[in-house]
Amino acid sequence: MDDLEQVWGKVDEYIKDKLMAKDDVLEQTLIKNKQAGLPEIDVSPAQGKLLYLLAKTKGAKRILEIGTLGGYSTIWLARALESGGELMTLEAVSHHAETAQQNIDRAGLAERVTILQGKALDTLSQLKEQDTLPFDLIFIDADKPNNPQYLKWALHFSKKGTVIIADNVVRNGAVLHASDQDERVKGTREFFDLLKQESRIEATAIQTVGEKGYDGFIYGIVK
Ligand code: SAH
Ligand code: DHB
Ligand code: MG
């Protein structure tokens, strides 16, 4: 880790210290995830709180998350739901889904959160068959090669004003590598290409640094 990355991490600690109340539930979630051997690729506390604030700004009653892991971002988002609201989160790996369920139970959010286990492309088409209502906010944070498909699904489950957020769209600048054969980079670039030609959504991308390194997210609103 170079000096600069160390500073990014320390500044994230500073932000957490100043702006985030001590939170046993969220801290326990990260501890349990680590004990369960999950990869440490959850959003950072500062990013989690941003998701929470964006969902609150939106007044979200229905949230869809693609990519649960241990439920860290899920808990942030679910806490922002308006009363009577619900969150659905999609996770392919059963061990991740089970760990997330325990964390969500401990957070007291079991009534508002449903984890759908299975490959997201399968569960999304099942949701379509069940005539699932549109969502107010959709957070895309699963396997990056499928991001173009997830954007199409997100638009399917949107209405006017739906917020669509996608994580990890910069990846240390890898997004610039046009000839990269890495499926994740290809997925991200196709996601941007789709956004460029898609007239139904207005979007921007913001580059970020912090304890999770140099990355970025897309923020869009459906017209
Ligand atoms: N949103 C989480 C991090 C998600 S990491 C947080 O910030 O706390 C990405 C997750 O997507 C992993 O748990 C991985 O198992 C899951 N995933 C990968 N491929 C998937 C697929 N095809 N369908 C659903 N989930 C998938
Ligand atoms: C990966 C996935 C993520 O959602 C993330 O935030 C970081 C890394 C990954 O698949 O490597
Ligand atoms: Mg992510």
Side-chain angles (χ1 to χ4, degrees):
M1 192 185 288
D2 66 21
D3 291 350
L4 203 52
E5 265 185 82
Q6 246 175 30
V7 176
W8 300 342
K10 282 185 184 154
V11 172
D12 251 352
E13 269 174 47
Y14 178 84
I15 292 168
K16 187 176 165 208
D17 178 48
K18 295 291 178 190
L19 303 180
M20 270 155 267
K22 182 164 162 43
D23 194 316
D24 289 339
V25 166
L26 287 168
E27 275 170 28
Q28 272 296 310
T29 296
L30 294 180
I31 291 167
K32 294 285 180 186
N33 288 353
K34 200 168 184 172
Q35 287 170 350
L38 269 49
E40 292 179 67
I41 55 175
D42 350 63
V43 294
S44 70
Q47 290 165 342
K49 189 160 182 190
L50 177 64
L51 289 172
Y52 162 87
L53 291 169
L54 292 170
K56 279 214 144 177
T57 305
K58 173 70 190 155
K61 270 201 129 174
R62 292 179 51 76
I63 297 177
L64 174 66
E65 176 179 67
I66 307 176
T68 317
L69 191 64
Y72 184 77
S73 56
T74 317
I75 291 171
W76 275 113
L77 284 166
R79 283 176 171 179
L81 285 167
E82 295 276 297
S83 71
E86 66 168 329
L87 183 153
M88 287 188 193
T89 183
L90 316 185
E91 174 55 55
V93 178
S94 58
H95 179 56
H96 295 182
E98 283 153 19
T99 307
Q101 188 65 60
Q102 288 166 14
N103 289 325
I104 286 156
D105 291 349
R106 198 177 327 98
L109 294 165
E111 277 191 14
R112 291 191 231 173
V113 175
T114 306
I115 303 174
L116 298 174
Q117 203 229 303
K119 290 192 174 160
L121 291 178
D122 297 335
T123 40
L124 286 162
S125 50
Q126 285 159 16
L127 287 174
K128 182 185 175 190
E129 270 153 39
Q130 293 159 13
D131 291 326
T132 300
L133 293 171
F135 294 92
D136 303 308
L137 186 150
I138 300 173
F139 179 48
I140 301 172
D141 190 23
D143 49 328
K144 311 313 171 189
N146 277 324
N147 264 353
Q149 303 296 331
Y150 295 150
L151 178 59
K152 289 177 195 164
W153 276 110
L155 286 165
H156 173 81
F157 287 114
S158 290
K159 57 186 175 186
K160 183 175 186 299
T162 294
V163 171
I164 298 177
I165 301 168
D167 195 23
N168 314 116
V169 300
V170 175
R171 289 314 253 299
N172 262 314
V175 68
L176 294 180
H177 303 165
S179 57
D180 202 320
Q181 290 311 299
D182 185 323
E183 294 300 326
R184 292 170 302 182
V185 175
K186 286 208 257 179
T188 302
R189 289 179 61 86
E190 271 175 46
F191 190 98
F192 274 99
D193 291 342
L194 271 179
L195 282 172
K196 182 171 179 174
Q197 67 189 47
E198 179 55 70
S199 58
R200 285 174 291 171
I201 179 168
E202 293 185 287
T204 188
I206 293 296
Q207 303 184 65
T208 58
V209 295
E211 62 171 61
K212 303 283 170 170
Y214 166 40
D215 212 324
F217 64 91
I218 275 170
Y219 181 94
I221 298 183
V222 177
K223 287 196 222 162

